Amino acid sequence: MRGLPDLWTHRNEGKDTWSAFDIIGHLIVADRTDWMPRVRTILEHGESRPFEPFDRFAQAKESEGKSLEQLLDEFSRLRSESLAALQALNLQSADLARRGKHPALGSVTLRELLATWTVHDLTHLHQISRVMAYQYREAVGPWSAFSGVLKCSGHSAP
Amino acid sequence: MRGLPDLWTHRNEGKDTWSAFDIIGHLIVADRTDWMPRVRTILEHGESRPFEPFDRFAQAKESEGKSLEQLLDEFSRLRSESLAALQALNLQSADLARRGKHPALGSVTLRELLATWTVHDLTHLHQISRVMAYQYREAVGPWSAFSGVLKCSGHSAP
């Protein structure tokens, strides 16, 4: 995404939807407040302390006044820190079976949390490719009939 | 995708669907036989010669006996060549308005062809993120309810 014109990175799919820029802000917030903090909550408190609910709209504050390049740098730094911290825990199979409490979903395992971290990345890569393609929905002319990504209307969390 | 386990790169979504590996093979075939060759067909023949139909199943032959790393190297090389050739044409606005003939869609402009090249990349990035997430559809446990990419059932060309 570095160096792309704003057309690709700062436009969304209409009212109350996210641009690629917004999505990077969301990934930053998720790495800072969600993934590794929840790993630690499971290891330290098990199911006795529910996870902090995740604020899915905190990225506006996160990204205010920043450029896309600044957000990408910040995400890259945070993700490296998260992965180093995860590796340092040296989790074993028994650890991965430990349970925590999701505020809406109930009992979950550490293994499920880590799988979800990965799928969350893929959800937003899937979304970024759709949001970017949307900006060219008219530019492709009759090829829109053959452009699969233009037929995706999104699959938001409830 | 480099260095990822086969779980992520060589599994598909079931019968008659593509793995990430298959998709890279498809992108190679498209760059070799479709995009720049069609640009040249428009510039040299206009609407008098329809484009060669694109073989959407040629990647099996393309990727036979190759590793993912070999395909990624090949795609990277081909794409660099395609972009250098495009730049060398030094296309002007009047060129972009020139028309060619798609075998199924009829009259199209060079501008639409180039926009479609981009959206085709995004369609397959969208597909790769979905195919990879599919491999973790059970691993995420109850989080599947919140995982948007797992709700995408694909949007294939007709």
Side-chain angles (χ1 to χ4, degrees):
Chain A
M1 290 169 55
R2 283 183 198 272
L4 288 182
D6 283 0
L7 163 74
W8 292 105
T9 56
H10 280 70
R11 292 199 195 167
N12 62 21
E13 298 171 290
K15 190 169 181 297
D16 294 335
T17 63
W18 293 358
S19 66
F21 177 82
D22 297 330
I23 295 166
I24 302 300
H26 168 78
L27 292 173
I28 288 172
V29 174
D31 256 52
R32 183 179 296 138
T33 69
D34 195 3
W35 306 115
M36 283 306 296
R38 288 180 171 191
V39 168
R40 293 197 184 91
T41 298
I42 292 179
L43 294 176
E44 292 167 21
H45 303 285
E47 293 182 273
S48 70
R49 182 185 295 187
F51 306 145
E52 294 288 327
F54 180 59
D55 182 351
R56 292 197 293 126
F57 300 97
Q59 65 270 16
K61 195 175 169 193
E62 177 62 42
S63 53
E64 195 180 348
K66 293 183 186 159
S67 68
L68 177 61
E69 277 64 29
Q70 286 175 305
L71 290 191
L72 290 169
D73 287 344
E74 174 75 0
F75 178 55
S76 176
R77 188 182 62 73
L78 272 173
R79 176 55 61 93
S80 297
E81 290 176 6
S82 299
L83 294 178
L86 177 63
Q87 196 156 29
L89 290 174
N90 191 26
L91 297 174
Q92 305 301 310
S93 192
D95 299 315
L96 296 176
R98 292 185 66 175
R99 290 189 167 274
K101 189 167 183 182
H102 187 285
L105 298 171
S107 181
V108 291
T109 65
L110 180 47
R111 179 178 277 113
E112 289 164 347
L113 174 65
L114 295 177
T116 301
W117 189 354
T118 304
V119 170
H120 184 262
D121 281 354
L122 292 168
T123 282
H124 290 292
L125 186 59
H126 186 258
Q127 183 185 21
I128 287 171
S129 60
R130 189 188 71 233
V131 174
M132 291 175 77
Y134 180 84
Q135 314 312 324
Y136 261 26
R137 66 197 180 283
E138 291 174 3
V140 298
W143 267 290
S144 61
F146 291 171
S147 299
V149 66
L150 295 178
K151 298 177 191 173
C152 182
S153 54
H155 317 275
S156 296
Chain B
M1 290 168 56
R2 284 184 196 273
L4 288 183
D6 284 359
L7 162 74
W8 292 105
T9 57
H10 281 69
R11 293 201 195 166
N12 62 20
E13 298 171 289
K15 190 167 181 297
D16 294 334
T17 64
W18 292 358
S19 67
F21 178 83
D22 297 330
I23 295 166
I24 301 299
H26 168 76
L27 292 173
I28 288 172
V29 175
D31 256 51
R32 183 179 296 137
T33 70
D34 195 4
W35 306 115
M36 282 307 296
R38 289 181 171 193
V39 169
R40 293 196 185 91
T41 299
I42 291 179
L43 293 176
E44 293 166 21
H45 303 284
E47 293 181 272
S48 70
R49 181 184 297 186
F51 306 144
E52 295 287 328
F54 180 60
D55 182 352
R56 292 197 294 124
F57 300 97
Q59 64 270 15
K61 195 174 169 193
E62 176 61 42
S63 53
E64 195 181 349
K66 293 184 186 158
S67 67
L68 177 61
E69 277 63 29
Q70 285 174 304
L71 290 191
L72 290 169
D73 287 344
E74 174 75 358
F75 177 56
S76 176
R77 188 182 63 73
L78 272 173
R79 176 55 60 95
S80 296
E81 290 175 6
S82 298
L83 294 179
L86 176 63
Q87 197 156 29
L89 290 174
N90 191 25
L91 297 174
Q92 305 301 311
S93 190
D95 300 314
L96 296 176
R98 293 185 66 173
R99 290 188 167 275
K101 190 167 182 182
H102 187 283
L105 298 171
S107 180
V108 292
T109 65
L110 180 47
R111 180 178 277 114
E112 289 164 347
L113 174 64
L114 296 177
T116 301
W117 189 354
T118 305
V119 171
H120 184 263
D121 281 355
L122 291 169
T123 282
H124 290 292
L125 186 58
H126 187 257
Q127 183 185 21
I128 287 171
S129 59
R130 188 188 71 233
V131 174
M132 291 175 77
Y134 181 84
Q135 314 312 324
Y136 260 26
R137 66 198 180 283
E138 292 174 3
V140 298
W143 265 290
S144 62
F146 290 171
S147 298
V149 68
L150 294 178
K151 298 176 192 174
C152 183
S153 53
H155 318 275
S156 296

